[in-house]
Amino acid sequence: MSRQGSHRVLVPVGESVTLRNTVGFVVQEAMEATEAGERPTLHFVFPASWQYRDPTADVTSAAEDLLERVEAWVHEDTDTEEDEELPLDLTTAIIGTDEYLFSPRDYAETLLQYARKEDVRHIVLDPEFTPGAR
């Protein structure tokens, strides 16, 4: 029996030494869900944290590059070419760009708002994820 959409996962991302392993773990779990007849949805999001830094810095480009790297890893881990359809639904996004994310509570609220909006039930945290590099 297929439970379409029941495997929905949110993963906040940032530069870390364990990010690649975290992506691999989440994709492996998603692939197991596909074998059970589900169509998993993975959301990799980069919480914007540059509002307190130099506003002229091109940090958006760095965040987009990181999300593109994550997408490439997902293709690699699912053994699909970049121009092939993935066996799962994938969303990458920069979130919190219209807010001032300062405290851990700010980051948590932004992630929870996104999760509610996208009907995501699970959040996986990279063990080295440090919002705002703090």
Side-chain angles (χ1 to χ4, degrees), residues 47-127:
S49 58
W50 49 77
Q51 294 89 337
Y52 67 91
R53 298 184 189 151
D54 179 1
T56 61
D58 189 18
V59 292
T60 303
S61 178
E64 289 170 347
D65 290 347
L66 180 62
L67 290 170
E68 286 176 12
R69 206 171 343 141
V70 166
E71 189 170 347
W73 291 334
V74 171
H75 277 278
E76 180 180 317
D77 292 346
T78 58
D79 199 27
T80 57
E81 297 295 322
E82 287 191 30
D83 59 346
E84 284 183 84
E85 182 180 346
L86 289 165
L88 50 84
D89 294 323
L90 175 66
T91 298
T92 60
I94 299 172
I95 63 170
T97 56
D98 57 347
E99 303 171 50
Y100 179 68
L101 302 180
F102 178 73
S103 71
R105 178 183 207 116
D106 296 338
Y107 285 92
E109 283 298 319
T110 298
L111 291 170
L112 288 174
Q113 286 173 2
Y114 181 91
R116 284 185 202 112
K117 178 181 154 225
E118 297 296 329
D119 193 30
V120 172
R121 304 262 184 229
H122 303 283
I123 298 176
V124 174
L125 293 176
D126 173 352

